[in-house]
Amino acid sequence: MTWRVPENRLSVRQRAVLTAVCRDIGKARYWIQGCAGSGKTLLLIHAIEQVAIRNPKASICFVTFTHSLKDLVRSGLSQELGARVKVVTHTQFKSDKKKFDYVFVDEVQDISKTDLRAIASYAGSLQLAGDPDQSIYKGRATESDINSLLEPRTERLLEVFRLSKLIKDIALSILPRSLLVEGQAKSSDANVQIRLLRFNDQDAEAAWVFEEARGNAKGGYNASAILFSTHKSLMEFSKRVAKHLRLPEPPAPEMSRNFEAELAAKSTTPNPDYREYNKHWEARRVPLAYFGNGNGNLADSEAKPMVYLMTYHSSKGLDFKSVFLPSVNADMYCGASKKELAEDPSIENRLMFVAVTRSRENLYVSFTTEQLHRTLRNLPKEMVVEASPKLRKLSAEQGLF
């Protein structure tokens, strides 16, 4: 898989961090901190490989926060390791109550203190990775909480391999004090498209975004992703795409009526069921699928072009060749309640920070109101608004699986 860089191609700093973690594993806990695109998850995978070689009989578990990231991690493991290493979400790990010799936790900043304490109690050796700037859930452990509870040694990754300089600058305009400010962008702006687009209405926006997304999508894990702040906005977009294609509307996912409120209030994320939604598009040979919360399959994009629809929350830890952020309007609900915003005004910025940093090449931000959402009002001067771009024309084959 494209994200799985072999050990001999790691940077000098990445190799140094990997060496330190593997040298002291079993004797010390490490927290690999790094900004988006710095290779945190990659180093955990390489550490697992070394542990597995040194300790053929040891039990190993990789703990993720989202189902989406769980699928990504599995795709980065060899067939032999995949059969040996258990990859689970933190909620499943807690419910299993099973001890492991080695536990590796990714996106540690999204896990509560209570859950971290429980995970540590079942881990012989515990290693962590995560970025405090990307903490986007209520009631999660702070950086101070993690340090006082687990007492890890901190190693920082400041090279940014996935983000181009302009995307880095966009991210910093959203969250100026993030760790990314120290990061060194290694990816070039050449041959990438970063566009800010304004449409007259949401029907025109949805048609353009869908056609551009499927036109950009390629096989070999080069999928496009369209990200939304809420499940409600994702479904509204889906209905507009169906109208554009002159197809029946897709069925709504099965979820409680108060899903968004539950998402904001609960310490665990409710899992909507998008199976019928995904079957709807597949039956009509449209390359759309919801990915996240245990729905969809990232491996589908290896053999065929795919366009994945996700929420900002479920996209955490992933990256895509082309990322689209539609309807980033002045009145957009960012998925945080009024109470959350009152307690933590920066949570909207962190959510938008996560969304824009999912792109490893192309980024398209669009809106239909007079102004952009407040989190994007300090964009770099290079970001010039394009009004009502022309709809891409594709051959019939480009719309088929």
Side-chain angles (χ1 to χ4, degrees), residues 80-132:
E80 182 182 355
L81 265 185
R84 180 178 168 188
V85 177
K86 185 151 189 177
V87 183
V88 297
T89 62
H90 77 291
T91 51
Q92 184 181 341
F93 185 90
K94 279 196 315 171
S95 64
D96 287 347
K97 296 181 179 179
K98 182 180 177 181
K99 290 191 174 183
F100 288 86
D101 297 320
Y102 298 92
V103 175
F104 297 80
V105 179
D106 205 358
E107 302 290 351
V108 65
Q109 76 282 347
D110 286 328
I111 302 176
S112 69
K113 282 179 66 176
T114 301
D115 289 356
L116 282 176
R117 192 176 288 111
I119 290 170
S121 69
Y122 290 104
S125 170
L126 180 63
Q127 308 302 325
L128 318 168
D131 178 5

Side-chain angles (χ1 to χ4, degrees), residues 368-389:
T368 59
T369 49
E370 285 295 320
Q371 288 187 307
L372 275 162
H373 190 265
R374 55 183 168 269
T375 57
L376 292 175
R377 290 183 189 168
N378 293 310
L379 290 172
K381 61 181 183 299
E382 295 95 323
M383 295 291 288
V384 178
V385 177
E386 300 176 46
S388 303

Side-chain angles (χ1 to χ4, degrees), residues 17-43:
V17 172
L18 179 63
T19 298
V21 171
C22 293
R23 179 192 63 222
D24 297 332
I25 210 160
K27 296 181 289 184
R29 291 171 178 166
Y30 275 86
W31 181 1
I32 303 174
Q33 288 189 5
C35 39
S38 59
K40 302 180 294 295
T41 304
L42 176 65
L43 290 197

Side-chain angles (χ1 to χ4, degrees), residues 183-217:
Q184 304 166 22
K186 299 292 185 180
S187 180
S188 169
D189 284 329
N191 302 317
V192 302
Q193 288 198 55
I194 301 173
R195 300 172 69 180
L196 180 60
L197 310 127
R198 183 179 174 188
F199 293 86
N200 293 328
D201 60 74
Q202 289 184 309
D203 284 349
E205 179 189 39
W208 188 93
V209 168
F210 168 72
E211 295 294 356
E212 199 72 20
R214 71 167 171 172
N216 282 6

Side-chain angles (χ1 to χ4, degrees), residues 137 229 231 258-266 268-270 313 335 340:
Y137 293 93
S229 59
H231 288 271
N258 299 318
F259 177 86
E260 302 294 351
E262 290 175 8
L263 179 63
K266 289 188 175 182
T268 57
T269 306
H313 288 86
E340 281 183 292

